[in-house]
mmCIF file of all heavy atoms in Angstrom:
data_model
loop_
_atom_site.group_PDB
_atom_site.id
_atom_site.type_symbol
_atom_site.label_atom_id
_atom_site.label_comp_id
_atom_site.label_asym_id
_atom_site.label_seq_id
_atom_site.Cartn_x
_atom_site.Cartn_y
_atom_site.Cartn_z
ATOM 1 N N ARG A 1 6.033 3.523 -1.588
ATOM 2 C CA ARG A 1 6.183 2.667 -2.799
ATOM 3 C C ARG A 1 6.509 1.231 -2.347
ATOM 4 O O ARG A 1 5.945 0.274 -2.895
ATOM 5 C CB ARG A 1 7.282 3.252 -3.701
ATOM 6 C CG ARG A 1 7.456 2.467 -4.964
ATOM 7 C CD ARG A 1 8.446 3.080 -5.953
ATOM 8 N NE ARG A 1 9.723 3.466 -5.376
ATOM 9 C CZ ARG A 1 10.143 4.698 -5.210
ATOM 10 N NH1 ARG A 1 9.377 5.743 -5.596
ATOM 11 N NH2 ARG A 1 11.285 4.966 -4.667
ATOM 12 N N LYS A 2 7.396 1.091 -1.366
ATOM 13 C CA LYS A 2 7.685 -0.276 -0.870
ATOM 14 C C LYS A 2 6.473 -0.960 -0.328
ATOM 15 O O LYS A 2 6.219 -2.149 -0.598
ATOM 16 C CB LYS A 2 8.784 -0.189 0.224
ATOM 17 C CG LYS A 2 10.160 -0.024 -0.293
ATOM 18 C CD LYS A 2 11.147 0.007 0.855
ATOM 19 C CE LYS A 2 12.561 0.231 0.343
ATOM 20 N NZ LYS A 2 13.565 0.195 1.418
ATOM 21 N N MET A 3 5.685 -0.232 0.441
ATOM 22 C CA MET A 3 4.423 -0.796 0.972
ATOM 23 C C MET A 3 3.494 -1.237 -0.141
ATOM 24 O O MET A 3 2.945 -2.352 -0.124
ATOM 25 C CB MET A 3 3.663 0.196 1.826
ATOM 26 C CG MET A 3 4.250 0.455 3.169
ATOM 27 S SD MET A 3 3.184 1.648 4.047
ATOM 28 C CE MET A 3 4.348 2.247 5.285
ATOM 29 N N PHE A 4 3.305 -0.388 -1.139
ATOM 30 C CA PHE A 4 2.401 -0.673 -2.256
ATOM 31 C C PHE A 4 2.871 -1.872 -3.034
ATOM 32 O O PHE A 4 2.084 -2.798 -3.358
ATOM 33 C CB PHE A 4 2.288 0.596 -3.158
ATOM 34 C CG PHE A 4 1.204 0.517 -4.140
ATOM 35 C CD1 PHE A 4 -0.070 0.957 -3.787
ATOM 36 C CD2 PHE A 4 1.405 0.039 -5.429
ATOM 37 C CE1 PHE A 4 -1.110 0.924 -4.711
ATOM 38 C CE2 PHE A 4 0.403 0.012 -6.363
ATOM 39 C CZ PHE A 4 -0.882 0.434 -6.006
ATOM 40 N N ILE A 5 4.136 -1.936 -3.347
ATOM 41 C CA ILE A 5 4.684 -3.045 -4.131
ATOM 42 C C ILE A 5 4.670 -4.328 -3.356
ATOM 43 O O ILE A 5 4.282 -5.404 -3.879
ATOM 44 C CB ILE A 5 6.089 -2.720 -4.663
ATOM 45 C CG1 ILE A 5 5.966 -1.644 -5.694
ATOM 46 C CG2 ILE A 5 6.810 -3.927 -5.238
ATOM 47 C CD1 ILE A 5 7.288 -1.039 -6.185
ATOM 48 N N ARG A 6 5.034 -4.261 -2.064
ATOM 49 C CA ARG A 6 4.959 -5.445 -1.230
ATOM 50 C C ARG A 6 3.554 -5.979 -1.137
ATOM 51 O O ARG A 6 3.342 -7.189 -1.189
ATOM 52 C CB ARG A 6 5.480 -5.173 0.184
ATOM 53 C CG ARG A 6 6.948 -4.973 0.357
ATOM 54 C CD ARG A 6 7.699 -6.298 0.356
ATOM 55 N NE ARG A 6 7.223 -7.239 1.300
ATOM 56 C CZ ARG A 6 7.583 -7.371 2.541
ATOM 57 N NH1 ARG A 6 8.440 -6.558 3.078
ATOM 58 N NH2 ARG A 6 7.044 -8.297 3.321
ATOM 59 N N ARG A 7 2.603 -5.134 -1.022
ATOM 60 C CA ARG A 7 1.183 -5.566 -0.889
ATOM 61 C C ARG A 7 0.612 -6.095 -2.220
ATOM 62 O O ARG A 7 0.060 -7.146 -2.278
ATOM 63 C CB ARG A 7 0.327 -4.402 -0.396
ATOM 64 C CG ARG A 7 -1.135 -4.775 -0.238
ATOM 65 C CD ARG A 7 -1.392 -5.732 0.891
ATOM 66 N NE ARG A 7 -2.823 -5.929 1.101
ATOM 67 C CZ ARG A 7 -3.329 -6.973 1.724
ATOM 68 N NH1 ARG A 7 -2.525 -7.873 2.209
ATOM 69 N NH2 ARG A 7 -4.581 -7.087 1.844
ATOM 70 N N TYR A 8 0.836 -5.321 -3.285
ATOM 71 C CA TYR A 8 0.095 -5.662 -4.516
ATOM 72 C C TYR A 8 0.932 -6.387 -5.543
ATOM 73 O O TYR A 8 0.371 -6.902 -6.512
ATOM 74 C CB TYR A 8 -0.512 -4.401 -5.112
ATOM 75 C CG TYR A 8 -1.454 -3.770 -4.136
ATOM 76 C CD1 TYR A 8 -1.202 -2.560 -3.532
ATOM 77 C CD2 TYR A 8 -2.588 -4.451 -3.698
ATOM 78 C CE1 TYR A 8 -2.043 -2.014 -2.603
ATOM 79 C CE2 TYR A 8 -3.438 -3.931 -2.772
ATOM 80 C CZ TYR A 8 -3.213 -2.707 -2.229
ATOM 81 O OH TYR A 8 -4.047 -2.205 -1.280
ATOM 82 N N TRP A 9 2.215 -6.526 -5.349
ATOM 83 C CA TRP A 9 3.016 -7.343 -6.270
ATOM 84 C C TRP A 9 3.371 -8.684 -5.533
ATOM 85 O O TRP A 9 3.162 -9.744 -6.077
ATOM 86 C CB TRP A 9 4.264 -6.629 -6.762
ATOM 87 C CG TRP A 9 5.120 -7.501 -7.604
ATOM 88 C CD1 TRP A 9 6.260 -8.190 -7.217
ATOM 89 C CD2 TRP A 9 4.917 -7.844 -8.972
ATOM 90 N NE1 TRP A 9 6.720 -8.906 -8.292
ATOM 91 C CE2 TRP A 9 5.975 -8.695 -9.356
ATOM 92 C CE3 TRP A 9 3.968 -7.506 -9.907
ATOM 93 C CZ2 TRP A 9 6.053 -9.262 -10.636
ATOM 94 C CZ3 TRP A 9 4.077 -8.010 -11.182
ATOM 95 C CH2 TRP A 9 5.068 -8.891 -11.522
ATOM 96 N N TYR A 10 3.932 -8.550 -4.327
ATOM 97 C CA TYR A 10 4.379 -9.743 -3.617
ATOM 98 C C TYR A 10 3.292 -10.306 -2.752
ATOM 99 O O TYR A 10 3.481 -11.391 -2.116
ATOM 100 C CB TYR A 10 5.603 -9.410 -2.768
ATOM 101 C CG TYR A 10 6.827 -9.122 -3.622
ATOM 102 C CD1 TYR A 10 7.308 -7.818 -3.766
ATOM 103 C CD2 TYR A 10 7.498 -10.101 -4.290
ATOM 104 C CE1 TYR A 10 8.363 -7.536 -4.562
ATOM 105 C CE2 TYR A 10 8.569 -9.848 -5.101
ATOM 106 C CZ TYR A 10 9.017 -8.574 -5.240
ATOM 107 O OH TYR A 10 10.114 -8.276 -6.015
ATOM 108 N N MET A 11 2.170 -9.605 -2.590
ATOM 109 C CA MET A 11 1.012 -10.069 -1.869
ATOM 110 C C MET A 11 1.300 -10.348 -0.366
ATOM 111 O O MET A 11 0.807 -11.257 0.224
ATOM 112 C CB MET A 11 0.390 -11.272 -2.531
ATOM 113 C CG MET A 11 0.084 -11.031 -3.979
ATOM 114 S SD MET A 11 -1.530 -11.641 -4.468
ATOM 115 C CE MET A 11 -1.576 -11.049 -6.140
ATOM 116 N N SER A 12 2.147 -9.489 0.202
ATOM 117 C CA SER A 12 2.462 -9.535 1.597
ATOM 118 C C SER A 12 1.296 -9.005 2.423
ATOM 119 O O SER A 12 0.572 -8.102 1.998
ATOM 120 C CB SER A 12 3.706 -8.743 1.934
ATOM 121 O OG SER A 12 4.831 -9.191 1.271
ATOM 122 N N SER A 13 1.124 -9.516 3.610
ATOM 123 C CA SER A 13 0.070 -9.011 4.503
ATOM 124 C C SER A 13 0.547 -7.650 5.098
ATOM 125 O O SER A 13 1.730 -7.369 5.160
ATOM 126 C CB SER A 13 -0.203 -10.021 5.629
ATOM 127 O OG SER A 13 0.889 -10.047 6.518
ATOM 128 N N ALA A 14 -0.441 -6.920 5.584
ATOM 129 C CA ALA A 14 -0.108 -5.637 6.213
ATOM 130 C C ALA A 14 0.770 -5.863 7.460
ATOM 131 O O ALA A 14 1.667 -5.083 7.734
ATOM 132 C CB ALA A 14 -1.378 -4.895 6.586
ATOM 133 N N LYS A 15 0.526 -6.936 8.111
ATOM 134 C CA LYS A 15 1.338 -7.282 9.320
ATOM 135 C C LYS A 15 2.815 -7.558 8.947
ATOM 136 O O LYS A 15 3.673 -7.056 9.625
ATOM 137 C CB LYS A 15 0.722 -8.524 9.974
ATOM 138 C CG LYS A 15 1.376 -8.870 11.295
ATOM 139 C CD LYS A 15 0.628 -10.086 11.912
ATOM 140 C CE LYS A 15 1.190 -10.434 13.274
ATOM 141 N NZ LYS A 15 0.430 -11.475 13.921
ATOM 142 N N GLU A 16 3.031 -8.269 7.863
ATOM 143 C CA GLU A 16 4.390 -8.563 7.376
ATOM 144 C C GLU A 16 5.083 -7.223 6.939
ATOM 145 O O GLU A 16 6.242 -7.048 7.261
ATOM 146 C CB GLU A 16 4.392 -9.515 6.231
ATOM 147 C CG GLU A 16 3.936 -10.946 6.616
ATOM 148 C CD GLU A 16 3.695 -11.823 5.409
ATOM 149 O OE1 GLU A 16 3.166 -11.337 4.390
ATOM 150 O OE2 GLU A 16 4.027 -13.014 5.498
ATOM 151 N N ILE A 17 4.362 -6.444 6.226
ATOM 152 C CA ILE A 17 4.910 -5.161 5.749
ATOM 153 C C ILE A 17 5.281 -4.261 6.938
ATOM 154 O O ILE A 17 6.392 -3.686 6.999
ATOM 155 C CB ILE A 17 3.929 -4.454 4.821
ATOM 156 C CG1 ILE A 17 3.690 -5.284 3.525
ATOM 157 C CG2 ILE A 17 4.477 -3.061 4.463
ATOM 158 C CD1 ILE A 17 2.531 -4.818 2.720
ATOM 159 N N ALA A 18 4.387 -4.192 7.900
ATOM 160 C CA ALA A 18 4.645 -3.362 9.095
ATOM 161 C C ALA A 18 5.872 -3.849 9.822
ATOM 162 O O ALA A 18 6.731 -3.040 10.216
ATOM 163 C CB ALA A 18 3.405 -3.413 10.010
ATOM 164 N N ALA A 19 5.994 -5.164 10.010
ATOM 165 C CA ALA A 19 7.166 -5.702 10.696
ATOM 166 C C ALA A 19 8.470 -5.410 9.933
ATOM 167 O O ALA A 19 9.474 -5.012 10.550
ATOM 168 C CB ALA A 19 6.999 -7.203 10.891
ATOM 169 N N ASP A 20 8.461 -5.548 8.658
ATOM 170 C CA ASP A 20 9.666 -5.342 7.830
ATOM 171 C C ASP A 20 10.073 -3.852 7.777
ATOM 172 O O ASP A 20 11.253 -3.550 7.683
ATOM 173 C CB ASP A 20 9.458 -5.850 6.413
ATOM 174 C CG ASP A 20 9.420 -7.389 6.346
ATOM 175 O OD1 ASP A 20 9.793 -8.027 7.353
ATOM 176 O OD2 ASP A 20 9.067 -7.919 5.321
ATOM 177 N N LEU A 21 9.070 -2.956 7.811
ATOM 178 C CA LEU A 21 9.346 -1.533 7.626
ATOM 179 C C LEU A 21 9.376 -0.770 9.002
ATOM 180 O O LEU A 21 9.543 0.441 9.009
ATOM 181 C CB LEU A 21 8.333 -0.887 6.698
ATOM 182 C CG LEU A 21 8.386 -1.396 5.256
ATOM 183 C CD1 LEU A 21 7.338 -0.684 4.417
ATOM 184 C CD2 LEU A 21 9.741 -1.229 4.635
ATOM 185 N N GLY A 22 9.189 -1.506 10.087
ATOM 186 C CA GLY A 22 9.176 -0.849 11.403
ATOM 187 C C GLY A 22 8.059 0.134 11.575
ATOM 188 O O GLY A 22 8.222 1.256 12.102
ATOM 189 N N ALA A 23 6.866 -0.279 11.125
ATOM 190 C CA ALA A 23 5.642 0.580 11.216
ATOM 191 C C ALA A 23 4.539 -0.213 11.905
ATOM 192 O O ALA A 23 4.642 -1.384 12.066
ATOM 193 C CB ALA A 23 5.253 1.019 9.833
ATOM 194 N N SER A 24 3.494 0.513 12.256
ATOM 195 C CA SER A 24 2.340 -0.212 12.820
ATOM 196 C C SER A 24 1.484 -0.716 11.690
ATOM 197 O O SER A 24 1.484 -0.207 10.552
ATOM 198 C CB SER A 24 1.483 0.692 13.697
ATOM 199 O OG SER A 24 0.808 1.678 12.906
ATOM 200 N N GLU A 25 0.747 -1.790 11.955
ATOM 201 C CA GLU A 25 -0.137 -2.398 10.948
ATOM 202 C C GLU A 25 -1.205 -1.398 10.517
ATOM 203 O O GLU A 25 -1.516 -1.320 9.317
ATOM 204 C CB GLU A 25 -0.759 -3.680 11.511
ATOM 205 C CG GLU A 25 -1.490 -4.480 10.511
ATOM 206 C CD GLU A 25 -1.978 -5.811 11.029
ATOM 207 O OE1 GLU A 25 -1.492 -6.301 12.088
ATOM 208 O OE2 GLU A 25 -2.890 -6.390 10.385
ATOM 209 N N SER A 26 -1.708 -0.612 11.437
ATOM 210 C CA SER A 26 -2.782 0.334 11.124
ATOM 211 C C SER A 26 -2.213 1.462 10.217
ATOM 212 O O SER A 26 -2.849 1.903 9.285
ATOM 213 C CB SER A 26 -3.451 0.947 12.342
ATOM 214 O OG SER A 26 -2.494 1.641 13.113
ATOM 215 N N MET A 27 -0.945 1.857 10.439
ATOM 216 C CA MET A 27 -0.320 2.835 9.598
ATOM 217 C C MET A 27 -0.144 2.299 8.186
ATOM 218 O O MET A 27 -0.368 3.040 7.205
ATOM 219 C CB MET A 27 1.035 3.270 10.155
ATOM 220 C CG MET A 27 1.629 4.524 9.499
ATOM 221 S SD MET A 27 2.556 4.233 8.011
ATOM 222 C CE MET A 27 4.154 3.822 8.655
ATOM 223 N N VAL A 28 0.206 1.060 8.035
ATOM 224 C CA VAL A 28 0.374 0.432 6.732
ATOM 225 C C VAL A 28 -1.011 0.389 6.002
ATOM 226 O O VAL A 28 -1.131 0.805 4.867
ATOM 227 C CB VAL A 28 0.959 -0.989 6.823
ATOM 228 C CG1 VAL A 28 0.856 -1.732 5.493
ATOM 229 C CG2 VAL A 28 2.406 -0.930 7.277
ATOM 230 N N ASN A 29 -2.037 -0.009 6.710
ATOM 231 C CA ASN A 29 -3.374 -0.069 6.115
ATOM 232 C C ASN A 29 -3.861 1.308 5.674
ATOM 233 O O ASN A 29 -4.433 1.440 4.582
ATOM 234 C CB ASN A 29 -4.392 -0.718 7.096
ATOM 235 C CG ASN A 29 -4.215 -2.190 7.204
ATOM 236 O OD1 ASN A 29 -3.852 -2.843 6.220
ATOM 237 N ND2 ASN A 29 -4.389 -2.729 8.401
ATOM 238 N N VAL A 30 -3.678 2.322 6.490
ATOM 239 C CA VAL A 30 -4.102 3.693 6.158
ATOM 240 C C VAL A 30 -3.293 4.209 4.966
ATOM 241 O O VAL A 30 -3.853 4.791 4.011
ATOM 242 C CB VAL A 30 -3.937 4.635 7.391
ATOM 243 C CG1 VAL A 30 -4.109 6.059 6.967
ATOM 244 C CG2 VAL A 30 -4.959 4.263 8.453
ATOM 245 N N THR A 31 -2.001 3.980 4.971
ATOM 246 C CA THR A 31 -1.140 4.406 3.848
ATOM 247 C C THR A 31 -1.568 3.728 2.571
ATOM 248 O O THR A 31 -1.647 4.395 1.492
ATOM 249 C CB THR A 31 0.323 4.101 4.165
ATOM 250 O OG1 THR A 31 0.731 4.780 5.358
ATOM 251 C CG2 THR A 31 1.229 4.547 3.010
ATOM 252 N N LEU A 32 -1.843 2.441 2.590
ATOM 253 C CA LEU A 32 -2.256 1.743 1.411
ATOM 254 C C LEU A 32 -3.609 2.221 0.930
ATOM 255 O O LEU A 32 -3.828 2.418 -0.294
ATOM 256 C CB LEU A 32 -2.340 0.218 1.668
ATOM 257 C CG LEU A 32 -0.949 -0.463 1.824
ATOM 258 C CD1 LEU A 32 -1.153 -1.897 2.281
ATOM 259 C CD2 LEU A 32 -0.191 -0.434 0.521
ATOM 260 N N PHE A 33 -4.554 2.500 1.814
ATOM 261 C CA PHE A 33 -5.862 3.030 1.423
ATOM 262 C C PHE A 33 -5.687 4.366 0.740
ATOM 263 O O PHE A 33 -6.255 4.610 -0.333
ATOM 264 C CB PHE A 33 -6.778 3.166 2.665
ATOM 265 C CG PHE A 33 -8.059 3.831 2.367
ATOM 266 C CD1 PHE A 33 -9.094 3.131 1.753
ATOM 267 C CD2 PHE A 33 -8.256 5.177 2.658
ATOM 268 C CE1 PHE A 33 -10.283 3.743 1.469
ATOM 269 C CE2 PHE A 33 -9.489 5.799 2.376
ATOM 270 C CZ PHE A 33 -10.495 5.097 1.786
ATOM 271 N N ARG A 34 -4.920 5.265 1.345
ATOM 272 C CA ARG A 34 -4.723 6.581 0.783
ATOM 273 C C ARG A 34 -3.996 6.510 -0.556
ATOM 274 O O ARG A 34 -4.322 7.285 -1.485
ATOM 275 C CB ARG A 34 -3.925 7.474 1.761
ATOM 276 C CG ARG A 34 -4.769 7.861 2.983
ATOM 277 C CD ARG A 34 -3.954 8.692 3.934
ATOM 278 N NE ARG A 34 -4.782 9.102 5.089
ATOM 279 C CZ ARG A 34 -4.317 9.490 6.238
ATOM 280 N NH1 ARG A 34 -3.028 9.604 6.414
ATOM 281 N NH2 ARG A 34 -5.123 9.781 7.196
ATOM 282 N N THR A 35 -3.066 5.595 -0.673
ATOM 283 C CA THR A 35 -2.332 5.440 -1.909
ATOM 284 C C THR A 35 -3.253 4.938 -3.038
ATOM 285 O O THR A 35 -3.172 5.403 -4.173
ATOM 286 C CB THR A 35 -1.099 4.496 -1.730
ATOM 287 O OG1 THR A 35 -0.284 4.942 -0.656
ATOM 288 C CG2 THR A 35 -0.295 4.383 -3.000
ATOM 289 N N ARG A 36 -4.129 3.977 -2.697
ATOM 290 C CA ARG A 36 -5.102 3.500 -3.691
ATOM 291 C C ARG A 36 -6.040 4.652 -4.124
ATOM 292 O O ARG A 36 -6.364 4.753 -5.347
ATOM 293 C CB ARG A 36 -5.958 2.331 -3.124
ATOM 294 C CG ARG A 36 -5.150 1.059 -2.978
ATOM 295 C CD ARG A 36 -6.127 -0.131 -2.664
ATOM 296 N NE ARG A 36 -7.062 0.137 -1.618
ATOM 297 C CZ ARG A 36 -6.864 -0.143 -0.335
ATOM 298 N NH1 ARG A 36 -5.658 -0.640 0.068
ATOM 299 N NH2 ARG A 36 -7.781 0.084 0.565
ATOM 300 N N GLU A 37 -6.425 5.479 -3.222
ATOM 301 C CA GLU A 37 -7.303 6.630 -3.551
ATOM 302 C C GLU A 37 -6.574 7.608 -4.471
ATOM 303 O O GLU A 37 -7.160 8.109 -5.442
ATOM 304 C CB GLU A 37 -7.761 7.361 -2.284
ATOM 305 C CG GLU A 37 -8.775 6.538 -1.472
ATOM 306 C CD GLU A 37 -10.036 6.307 -2.215
ATOM 307 O OE1 GLU A 37 -10.653 7.238 -2.768
ATOM 308 O OE2 GLU A 37 -10.458 5.114 -2.278
ATOM 309 N N LYS A 38 -5.297 7.871 -4.226
ATOM 310 C CA LYS A 38 -4.505 8.757 -5.082
ATOM 311 C C LYS A 38 -4.355 8.156 -6.476
ATOM 312 O O LYS A 38 -4.440 8.857 -7.476
ATOM 313 C CB LYS A 38 -3.122 8.980 -4.490
ATOM 314 C CG LYS A 38 -3.118 9.885 -3.282
ATOM 315 C CD LYS A 38 -1.700 10.009 -2.754
ATOM 316 C CE LYS A 38 -1.663 10.743 -1.438
ATOM 317 N NZ LYS A 38 -0.309 10.761 -0.815
ATOM 318 N N LEU A 39 -4.159 6.824 -6.545
ATOM 319 C CA LEU A 39 -4.041 6.166 -7.840
ATOM 320 C C LEU A 39 -5.323 6.264 -8.619
ATOM 321 O O LEU A 39 -5.306 6.541 -9.818
ATOM 322 C CB LEU A 39 -3.585 4.703 -7.654
ATOM 323 C CG LEU A 39 -3.424 3.874 -8.908
ATOM 324 C CD1 LEU A 39 -2.410 4.503 -9.865
ATOM 325 C CD2 LEU A 39 -3.027 2.449 -8.537
ATOM 326 N N LYS A 40 -6.417 6.048 -7.923
ATOM 327 C CA LYS A 40 -7.744 6.164 -8.579
ATOM 328 C C LYS A 40 -7.921 7.542 -9.140
ATOM 329 O O LYS A 40 -8.360 7.677 -10.315
ATOM 330 C CB LYS A 40 -8.813 5.832 -7.554
ATOM 331 C CG LYS A 40 -10.189 5.872 -8.105
ATOM 332 C CD LYS A 40 -11.222 5.533 -6.987
ATOM 333 C CE LYS A 40 -12.643 5.601 -7.497
ATOM 334 N NZ LYS A 40 -13.612 5.284 -6.455
ATOM 335 N N LYS A 41 -7.615 8.560 -8.373
ATOM 336 C CA LYS A 41 -7.756 9.926 -8.882
ATOM 337 C C LYS A 41 -6.851 10.255 -10.046
ATOM 338 O O LYS A 41 -7.186 10.903 -10.964
ATOM 339 C CB LYS A 41 -7.426 10.942 -7.707
ATOM 340 C CG LYS A 41 -8.551 10.981 -6.684
ATOM 341 C CD LYS A 41 -8.213 11.894 -5.570
ATOM 342 C CE LYS A 41 -9.323 11.849 -4.481
ATOM 343 N NZ LYS A 41 -8.983 12.639 -3.302
ATOM 344 N N MET A 42 -5.639 9.629 -10.029
ATOM 345 C CA MET A 42 -4.691 9.844 -11.104
ATOM 346 C C MET A 42 -5.233 9.246 -12.415
ATOM 347 O O MET A 42 -5.190 9.853 -13.452
ATOM 348 C CB MET A 42 -3.339 9.269 -10.798
ATOM 349 C CG MET A 42 -2.291 9.576 -11.832
ATOM 350 S SD MET A 42 -0.632 9.060 -11.227
ATOM 351 C CE MET A 42 0.372 9.780 -12.500
ATOM 352 N N PHE A 43 -5.791 8.009 -12.340
ATOM 353 C CA PHE A 43 -6.421 7.398 -13.477
ATOM 354 C C PHE A 43 -7.559 8.237 -14.027
ATOM 355 O O PHE A 43 -7.720 8.441 -15.196
ATOM 356 C CB PHE A 43 -6.840 5.944 -13.211
ATOM 357 C CG PHE A 43 -5.767 4.940 -13.334
ATOM 358 C CD1 PHE A 43 -5.419 4.117 -12.235
ATOM 359 C CD2 PHE A 43 -5.060 4.771 -14.518
ATOM 360 C CE1 PHE A 43 -4.411 3.167 -12.369
ATOM 361 C CE2 PHE A 43 -4.047 3.807 -14.646
ATOM 362 C CZ PHE A 43 -3.709 3.035 -13.536
ATOM 363 N N GLU A 44 -8.396 8.719 -13.099
ATOM 364 C CA GLU A 44 -9.547 9.503 -13.495
ATOM 365 C C GLU A 44 -9.095 10.781 -14.141
ATOM 366 O O GLU A 44 -9.660 11.213 -15.197
ATOM 367 C CB GLU A 44 -10.443 9.777 -12.285
ATOM 368 C CG GLU A 44 -11.208 8.554 -11.834
ATOM 369 C CD GLU A 44 -11.910 8.719 -10.495
ATOM 370 O OE1 GLU A 44 -11.696 9.775 -9.848
ATOM 371 O OE2 GLU A 44 -12.651 7.811 -10.092
ATOM 372 N N LYS A 45 -8.055 11.416 -13.614
ATOM 373 C CA LYS A 45 -7.518 12.646 -14.169
ATOM 374 C C LYS A 45 -6.979 12.424 -15.598
ATOM 375 O O LYS A 45 -7.089 13.303 -16.457
ATOM 376 C CB LYS A 45 -6.390 13.196 -13.272
ATOM 377 C CG LYS A 45 -5.739 14.466 -13.737
ATOM 378 C CD LYS A 45 -4.615 14.851 -12.789
ATOM 379 C CE LYS A 45 -3.829 15.974 -13.400
ATOM 380 N NZ LYS A 45 -2.611 16.224 -12.620
#
């Protein structure tokens, strides 16, 4: 949720989010992609 809000509300870069949350940039990108896919499925459902 923090990643999603930081990216899509505060418009932080994946690099900034990764640094703040102690994660890799690729992990942030993958998590955001999967989260967007889940959201899309929820809207369709």
Side-chain angles (χ1 to χ4, degrees):
R1 184 173 49 248
K2 282 183 181 180
M3 285 182 200
F4 193 86
I5 291 171
R6 285 283 309 272
R7 179 69 173 159
Y8 301 114
W9 177 260
Y10 293 105
M11 306 224 175
S12 299
S13 69
K15 185 176 185 176
E16 291 169 323
I17 296 168
D20 289 347
L21 297 178
S24 71
E25 190 174 342
S26 62
M27 192 274 276
V28 169
N29 286 325
V30 168
T31 301
L32 289 171
F33 174 79
R34 289 178 179 162
T35 305
R36 289 191 311 270
E37 289 297 308
K38 287 178 188 175
L39 179 58
K40 181 179 179 180
K41 287 178 184 173
M42 186 171 189
F43 277 122
E44 289 170 351
K45 180 181 170 190

